[in-house]
Amino acid sequence: MPIADVFRTIASRPRSSTKGPLDADEAPVVSPISSQAARFSSSSYQHASSRTSSPLPLPRSPAPRSSPAPSAAPVTSKDFSFLLRPEIFHQISPLSVPTPFRSPARQPAPDTPIPDLLRRGHFRAAAIAAVQALTSSPVSASTAAAAAAHPPASPTDHARIFELLYTRLACLCLIDATPLAAQEAKALEDLNSAFYLDPLSGAHLVPWPLRVLGVRLQAIGFGDPRRAVMSYYELAREARLRVARAGGGGEGGGKARDHSAAELWKGRLAELGVKVAGALIEMDDLAGAAEHLATLGGGDGDQDFAVGGDGRRLAMSRALLWLHLGDVGAARRCVKDGKGGETGESVVNALADMADGEYEAALEKWETLRQTMAENDVHDEMVGVNLTVCLLYTGKMTEARDILEGLVDAGQTSHTLLFNLTTMYELCTDRHKNLKMRLAERVASKEPTSQGWEKTNADFKL
């Protein structure tokens, strides 16, 4: 089913019944960061010129969210050479990529900058380029021009090292190489360690997106699914402290309120709560996930972590998790009264009908939503794919296949779309392999976009 892919990005451990850091109304806690940083402020570290941690590029996000620079610029000359060892990184086999995508004429030039690779959806090439810059000895053949385009990172340049690591790990996840990313993320070890704190300001040197991504990858890499839940709670404890500080409270008190920072950290705290629920689901602790979700608000609770677009997105996330748990009523309540936006409420109601097996009713909702979007010149792939699933279950396979073919012709090429279309081929004819190869050739001929150009054999069920 198309909605299943939503739950592939989360990891794991049962929630304690006691009140914890995910509860936003709890009194502020004393910062573990400041006390740890104090122990590391001795002369054992030499402090070089000031360097502000810069936000990382998000390779494939429809609405990237920047990570603000800390209020006090980190000053450090710590040696991160242990993250630059070539043996950490793995070869990325091209054999999982269909032949049409491996054509040299369609591959980017070796000296293409990493931001350009990300912008054009060449995630495999970006992952390789990141390793080249991190190790100074690429894992694949390279030229002098490529080396010049991706100069080696200095062992003390923590901002660039973490930016490249995030690019590498995120791109591996985007090309369906999450197991490799999980093994490579183990090199970071304990991201909550005081080693990753600036000795003077106590600011964390690792950007927030990498810390959040590292939680799930390390849980997979170390084979400890409970580790994810514990790590999410550690991040949540820090987020609560940041909310208190931005609100003028916290240590010292008397500080001016920073409304934008407070809203940012509240949003991050709410997102961590959703990730914990997803982690519990991946552990098959459905009862714990349901109990945890009920405490997050947005539907049945009274907490309100975010407003505007972020609030609607989190409401949708909670609704989708409730659908996965089988509680259709709770899913509907998460988005009612405009909490998920008008479109979000329509989407969840249609998905709820599908979950109940009411495909005719769901089909009507998807068709209405599709027509409404078309009037506003919006062509949403998710709506089209779910519409075709309803058509399939109501015995209209030919019409469903035509709609999916039209989405591909319009430039839509997500994994869910291609997987559903190739499944249609398998249901329609015994000669589906030729149809799959022709589909791969069509997709490879499309112009690259930031949504990802290169596909894998699994996308076409080859």
Side-chain angles (χ1 to χ4, degrees):
M1 295 290 291
I3 63 173
D5 288 343
V6 175
F7 308 100
R8 297 174 58 189
T9 60
I10 25 195
S12 40
R13 173 203 149 200
R15 182 180 191 269
S16 169
S17 59
T18 59
K19 199 168 187 179
L22 291 177
D23 299 307
D25 57 345
E26 193 176 293
V29 296
V30 177
S31 171
I33 293 179
S34 299
S35 59
Q36 288 176 331
R39 300 199 307 267
F40 281 77
S41 60
S42 63
S43 59
S44 60
Y45 293 106
Q46 299 298 321
H47 307 300
S49 59
S50 174
R51 180 184 293 107
T52 302
S53 179
S54 60
L56 294 173
L58 300 180
R60 187 188 181 186
S61 173
R65 295 174 57 196
S66 60
S67 179
S71 56
V75 181
T76 182
S77 59
K78 289 185 178 181
D79 186 354
F80 290 96
S81 57
F82 69 97
L83 296 174
L84 309 181
R85 293 177 290 116
E87 58 267 27
I88 293 175
F89 306 100
H90 299 72
Q91 289 274 1
I92 303 177
S93 174
L95 299 181
S96 62
V97 179
T99 304
F101 294 91
R102 299 204 302 262
S103 171
R106 289 171 173 163
Q107 288 294 318
D111 58 348
T112 305
I114 291 178
D116 290 345
L117 294 173
L118 296 175
R119 188 161 48 248
R120 304 189 67 191
H122 292 290
F123 300 131
R124 186 169 67 94
I128 294 173
V131 167
Q132 177 179 343
L134 286 167
T135 64
S136 303
S137 55
V139 295
S140 61
S142 181
T143 63
H150 316 300
S154 167
T156 58
D157 189 352
H158 68 274
R160 185 157 187 262
I161 289 174
F162 293 135
E163 179 179 359
L164 291 169
L165 279 173
Y166 179 75
T167 298
R168 169 71 177 185
L169 298 176
C171 286
L172 287 178
C173 293
L174 292 174
I175 63 173
D176 238 5
T178 301
L180 292 184
Q183 292 303 313
E184 295 180 6
K186 291 165 64 177
L188 290 165
E189 300 183 8
D190 183 9
L191 285 172
N192 293 320
S193 167
F195 176 78
Y196 287 106
L197 304 179
D198 183 84
L200 292 183
S201 67
H204 208 292
L205 300 178
V206 183
W208 184 263
L210 178 56
R211 296 172 67 188
V212 175
L213 177 62
V215 168
R216 179 174 184 255
L217 293 181
Q218 289 191 336
I220 297 173
F222 287 110
D224 183 8
R226 295 173 181 265
R227 180 189 181 108
V229 174
M230 293 186 289
S231 298
Y232 284 138
Y233 268 83
E234 286 294 327
L235 292 177
R237 188 180 301 278
E238 179 181 344
R240 289 182 59 249
L241 179 66
R242 298 287 187 177
V243 170
R245 286 180 175 175
E251 299 174 2
K255 297 181 180 179
R257 176 175 176 81
D258 187 342
H259 180 73
S260 60
E263 290 304 311
L264 172 67
W265 285 102
K266 284 181 181 180
R268 287 177 171 178
L269 180 59
E271 189 170 1
L272 289 171
V274 174
K275 286 184 178 293
V276 169
L280 294 172
I281 290 175
E282 285 201 343
M283 290 177 58
D284 292 326
D285 184 4
L286 302 186
E291 181 179 351
H292 173 75
L293 269 178
T295 68
L296 293 183
D300 302 320
D302 56 2
Q303 295 183 18
D304 187 12
F305 295 109
V307 296
D310 285 342
R312 289 191 290 271
R313 183 174 61 84
L314 290 169
M316 286 292 296
S317 297
R318 288 192 287 267
L320 293 173
L321 286 171
W322 277 120
L323 285 173
H324 190 69
L325 292 171
D327 193 330
V328 173
R332 293 183 191 272
R333 288 193 294 274
C334 282
V335 295
K336 71 177 182 179
D337 300 328
K339 294 175 183 175
E342 183 179 350
T343 299
E345 185 172 359
S346 300
V347 168
V348 170
N349 286 334
L351 290 173
D353 285 340
M354 294 175 69
D356 285 335
E358 302 291 339
Y359 291 104
E360 290 286 357
L363 180 59
E364 292 182 7
K365 289 183 174 65
W366 288 123
E367 287 179 334
T368 300
L369 185 58
R370 188 183 185 208
Q371 291 172 3
T372 302
M373 289 183 165
E375 292 173 358
N376 297 319
D377 199 26
V378 177
H379 304 281
D380 191 280
E381 176 186 339
M382 179 273 300
V383 173
V385 169
N386 282 286
L387 172 63
T388 60
V389 171
C390 292
L391 288 171
L392 176 63
Y393 277 95
T394 53
K396 303 173 183 177
M397 186 185 303
T398 303
E399 185 179 347
R401 174 178 165 179
D402 289 343
I403 290 177
L404 291 178
E405 294 275 9
L407 290 173
V408 172
D409 292 337
Q412 305 288 351
T413 59
S414 74
H415 167 77
T416 302
L417 169 59
L418 297 176
F419 191 88
N420 277 280
L421 181 53
T422 50
T423 300
M424 295 281 186
Y425 290 158
E426 293 174 346
L427 295 173
C428 290
T429 177
D430 292 332
R431 301 177 181 178
H432 49 77
K433 185 173 182 179
N434 290 335
L435 293 174
K436 293 177 181 179
M437 289 302 301
R438 283 160 52 190
L439 177 61
E441 181 65 40
R442 285 168 56 195
V443 174
S445 66
K446 301 289 183 183
E447 280 295 316
T449 70
S450 61
Q451 298 301 308
W453 171 76
E454 193 172 80
K455 305 299 178 183
T456 65
N457 290 325
D459 292 320
F460 302 96
K461 301 180 73 173
L462 291 171

